[in-house]
Amino acid sequence: MVDYHAANQSYQYGPSSAGNGAGGGGSMGDYMAQEDDWDRDLLLDPAWEKQQRKTFTAWCNSHLRKAGTQIENIDEDFRDGLKLMLLLEVISGERLPKPERGKMRVHKINNVNKALDFIASKGVKLVSIGAEEIVDGNAKMTLGMIWTIILRFAIQDISVEETSAKEGLLLWCQRKTAPYKNVNVQNFHISWKDGLAFNALIHRHRPELIEYDKLRKDDPVTNLNNAFEVAEKYLDIPKMLDAEDIVNTARPDEKAIMTYVSSFYHAFSGAQKAETAANRICKVLAVNQENEHLMEDYEKLASDLLEWIRRTIPWLEDRVPQKTIQEMQQKLEDFRDYRRVHKPPKVQEKCQLEINFNTLQTKLRLSNRPAFMPSEGKMVSDINNGWQHLEQAEKGYEEWLLNEIRRLERLDHLAEKFRQKASIHEAWTDGKEAMLKHRDYETATLSDIKALIRKHEAFESDLAAHQDRVEQIAAIAQELNELDYYDSHNVNTRCQKICDQWDALGSLTHSRREALEKTEKQLEAIDQLHLEYAKRAAPFNNWMESAMEDLQDMFIVHTIEEIEGLISAHDQFKSTLPDADREREAILAIHKEAQRIAESNHIKLSGSNPYTTVTPQIINSKWEKVQQLVPKRDHALLEEQSKQQSNEHLRRQFASQANVVGPWIQTKMEEIGRISIEMNGTLEDQLSHLKQYERSIVDYKPNLDLLEQQHQLIQEALIFDNKHTNYTMEHIRVGWEQLLTTIARTINEVENQILTRDAKGISQEQMQEFRASFNHFDKDHGGALGPEEFKACLISLGYDVENDRQKQTGSMDSDDFRALLISTGYSLGDAEFNRIMSLVDPNHSGLVTFQAFIDFMSRETTDTDTADQVIASFKVLAGDKNFITAEELRRELPPDQAEYCIARMAPYQGPDAVPGALDYKSFSTALYGESDL
């Protein structure tokens, strides 16, 4: 009895568990999941149904005629299942079970079920298509079944550059028609309406059959008929559609066009092999040429940067001081220009050089090429060493400049102070030697002698008062010598002259006193009032001279506290002026009293006090001078106070901004460190997030520019310290440069991971598992693993080196596998682990970076182009010969890559060599670093 339940079962699209069959059935299910299901509503369009009937009927007949039969009506002739089984045997090359020859419905259903079972055995499940519907002549189900057969046996195995089925067929059409004008294949409906695409496919492979230049885009019927007739006559492709079917439809049926185009693909599949071989060679050569350009760019950029560092370091190490502040300030301005203008572009060049180097090494690893070794002295480490030397020289240069400016500023102040005190002293000593040498006492009267003695005593008091000034002059000269003042010679000469003159005055004073005391016994006493006047006038006069000297003394301060101290001292001095005025009036009263007594006693005075040269007029004149200098001193101190207040404002303004920018940079550095460790989401998401993060950092640059402007104002005001912040502009600049470099390196790392993933075919899930394992064993979050951490990470991922190969444990998930490894005490062999460490850590640093880890895992788990594959490709182009000629290379490859090969291939030396034969085997081996190119 027939099992009708089994006969009427429905099938679902998807991979079959019954076996893969010829060509494998797994990919068919994937494609069918992508392809829209058999849409019953679409078949209601009469134009589309007509096109499918014609196309599918012609396609079936193109195979059935090999068995000596054909069909006329697609939904009638397959009803008994006999021709359907015959069609499947022809296109598969396999034998189906023997059909039942009975005429009953059950026999037909059984035959159709045998055909459907055979289709299912090839990995295809049908959606809602049962044997009864085919037997009943359901046109929609019959067309759906035929389309499924076409997909499985005519389209599924089409593969172009690792794409398959519909995408592969579309890519093949786009590649073949790309050079033709008015042809733009984007789909399998509208793009074929004008017929030019069909003609372009034929002309590309058989140019003698089509005069393409005579075709017109505005005559689609002629174009389509020409292509269909040529294909049927010369390419054995049956005419599956009429031109009017395509032209008179707004949107031709996609399945009909795909079926027709697949016939062209299979007709030209022989020529496809040579093209594939040429494409492989072009790809390999393009990678090699690009890598050579990158190497040349690296060498040039490294040379330029090292030359700039070599020229700059001697300039920064030059510590020859200048003689004047103006010259040193010019040096400081030159240094600022270097920091603002010349260095920043070089910082970016250095960062770009490292990025280019890492990208080049990644591309070389991905293309299975030897690592790039720069010329001697141009390694990244050499550039880093040179840059470190540059920054060390730069660090001390600015500090030296500021110290030199301070030193010169103090020297100028001391030199001016020396000149003022020396001038005052020299003015005071002028004529003193002549006075002391005068022998007037020999002819003087007794009263004159007493006057001379008193005068001499007053002079000695004055001389003692000037002792401090002489000591100050000598101390200032000594300090100028210790500070290496450029005009020390003239200072020493003048100081020595003053000291010698002072010693002479001391000696002369002593001699004159002895002479006066010797004759004192013979002379009368002198007027006490004049004597008292002289004794009080001399120190008061000296006090006024000192006061005038102090009021005119230059001052230099750097802080608000220092100027406030000077103002306080000046206020204290002003508080003594009333007492000084009373002393002045008392001294003048003594002089007036002496004159009154002389006048009242009719004493004739000589007109001057014999004991002193300090007259009341001198005292009043100097007192008036002091009164004039006090407000001037007030004004100067207030101006300096205003200046220091302005400087304090600049300090606070800079500190306020620096105390925000500094912590911000530090926070961003910590955030980048966390981001580089966590790395959640896809690599593209991570890259997008990092670039957005980089843009947010770049957008913060105006804050640094504002800080630079504030720092410029501080330096122009010669402000050398700032107690309101611990951040200097140097700290901020270095932090900013490190922040930009760190984010750029992190972005480059993710880009290299994307290159690795795309080139090696690593899935996002694998990449995330690699990252999770790496981060799990990176205990210190340093971005690198030690040898033991790396070994544990490999074991956790299921890497087995027992037989020097990698294996994964069946369907066991990673957690179960790790538990199994731990429970059995599994570990990597020392020899194999040492081999792995030599790959991931060629410099023997003891650390494995994430990029090196990804490169190793991708190299161990994926396939790449090899030298043997390239040799096989050249052999296809050479027609299975052991050599290839220049003519063959120029015919099969693009011009630039053909000439690239010809220029680098050695002559072939084999026994079957002919003139002009080239050795492609040694050339292919050299491409992968196994010999010298």
Side-chain angles (χ1 to χ4, degrees), residues 707-718:
L707 199 59
E708 286 283 6
Q709 295 171 5
Q710 295 170 351
H711 183 252
Q712 175 71 15
L713 295 176
I714 283 179
Q715 290 198 322
E716 289 174 353
L718 295 179

Side-chain angles (χ1 to χ4, degrees), residues 168-234:
L169 183 60
L170 182 62
L171 180 59
W172 178 78
C173 294
Q174 292 171 340
R175 291 280 179 82
K176 294 302 181 181
T177 61
Y180 293 86
K181 64 180 181 179
N182 296 327
V183 177
N184 183 18
V185 178
Q186 297 297 325
N187 49 57
F188 286 106
H189 39 80
I190 301 299
S191 298
W192 303 83
K193 281 193 69 173
D194 58 11
L196 292 177
F198 285 105
N199 284 277
L201 284 178
I202 299 174
H203 185 269
R204 178 65 182 269
H205 296 90
R206 296 288 300 275
E208 73 278 8
L209 300 179
I210 297 288
E211 294 182 7
Y212 185 84
D213 292 336
K214 294 184 177 180
L215 300 176
R216 293 186 299 115
K217 186 176 180 64
D218 58 356
D219 191 4
V221 173
T222 301
N223 298 340
L224 289 167
N225 284 329
N226 181 65
F228 294 166
E229 290 168 4
V230 169
E232 184 175 32
K233 182 176 181 180
Y234 297 101

Side-chain angles (χ1 to χ4, degrees), residues 22 59-60 62-64 66 84-94 118-119 146 148-150 152-154:
W59 183 85
C60 291
S62 69
H63 294 287
L64 287 173
K66 299 175 184 177
L84 178 60
M85 296 178 68
L86 181 60
L87 174 66
L88 290 173
E89 287 185 344
V90 171
I91 61 179
S92 69
E94 301 180 25
F118 179 80
I119 295 173
I146 297 302
T148 302
I149 294 172
I150 292 172
R152 173 59 183 87
F153 293 99

Side-chain angles (χ1 to χ4, degrees), residues 651-669:
R651 288 189 184 95
R652 292 181 181 274
Q653 180 177 270
F654 175 85
S656 175
Q657 183 73 1
N659 289 337
V660 173
V661 174
W664 183 89
I665 291 176
Q666 185 176 359
T667 299
K668 291 303 178 183
M669 288 292 290

Side-chain angles (χ1 to χ4, degrees), residues 492-641:
N492 291 336
T493 301
R494 191 172 184 181
C495 182
Q496 186 62 43
K497 181 180 178 181
I498 290 172
C499 291
D500 292 343
Q501 187 184 39
W502 184 256
D503 292 338
L505 287 175
S507 177
L508 290 171
T509 301
H510 181 70
S511 299
R512 184 174 177 82
R513 181 172 184 80
E514 288 180 346
L516 291 173
E517 288 177 350
K518 183 178 179 180
T519 59
E520 185 182 12
K521 297 176 182 179
Q522 304 170 7
L523 301 174
E524 292 286 6
I526 196 168
D527 187 3
Q528 292 299 316
L529 287 175
H530 281 185
L531 180 59
E532 184 180 356
Y533 172 87
K535 287 184 176 180
R536 293 181 68 173
F540 185 72
N541 179 64
N542 187 59
W543 175 86
M544 287 191 296
E545 288 180 348
S546 297
M548 289 189 293
E549 180 181 348
D550 291 338
L551 290 171
Q552 298 179 85
D553 188 18
M554 294 179 61
F555 56 85
I556 179 171
V557 294
H558 296 289
T559 65
I560 190 69
E561 291 80 9
E562 292 177 359
I563 189 60
E564 288 176 351
L566 289 179
I567 292 174
S568 176
H570 184 62
D571 291 339
Q572 186 176 0
F573 165 76
K574 289 193 294 182
S575 68
T576 64
L577 290 179
D579 292 337
D581 190 42
R582 286 190 290 272
E583 176 66 10
R584 179 183 66 85
E585 291 176 350
I587 292 172
L588 294 177
I590 291 173
H591 178 73
K592 291 178 181 179
E593 181 64 17
Q595 287 182 332
R596 186 189 67 78
I597 294 173
E599 290 175 355
S600 57
N601 293 287
H602 305 287
I603 298 173
K604 186 178 181 181
L605 298 176
S606 61
S608 62
N609 193 323
Y611 304 114
T612 180
T613 60
V614 180
T615 65
Q617 292 77 16
I618 292 175
I619 291 176
N620 286 330
S621 175
K622 290 185 178 180
W623 178 256
E624 184 180 354
K625 182 67 174 177
V626 169
Q627 294 295 322
Q628 294 172 354
L629 290 175
V630 167
K632 291 183 179 179
R633 185 72 167 185
D634 285 336
H635 180 69
L637 290 173
L638 289 176
E639 281 188 345
E640 184 62 29
Q641 184 183 36

Side-chain angles (χ1 to χ4, degrees), residues 342-386:
H342 302 295
K343 184 182 177 184
K346 298 302 178 182
V347 171
Q348 300 216 352
E349 287 181 16
K350 176 176 176 292
C351 178
Q352 189 62 45
L353 188 69
E354 294 178 2
I355 291 173
N356 291 350
F357 181 83
N358 293 335
T359 301
L360 174 59
Q361 297 293 40
T362 299
K363 288 185 176 181
L364 289 172
R365 285 193 297 270
L366 295 178
S367 59
N368 207 16
R369 304 298 199 277
F372 169 57
M373 182 62 64
S375 303
E376 184 177 356
K378 297 180 182 177
M379 298 286 291
V380 172
S381 58
D382 296 326
I383 294 172
N384 287 334
N385 291 336

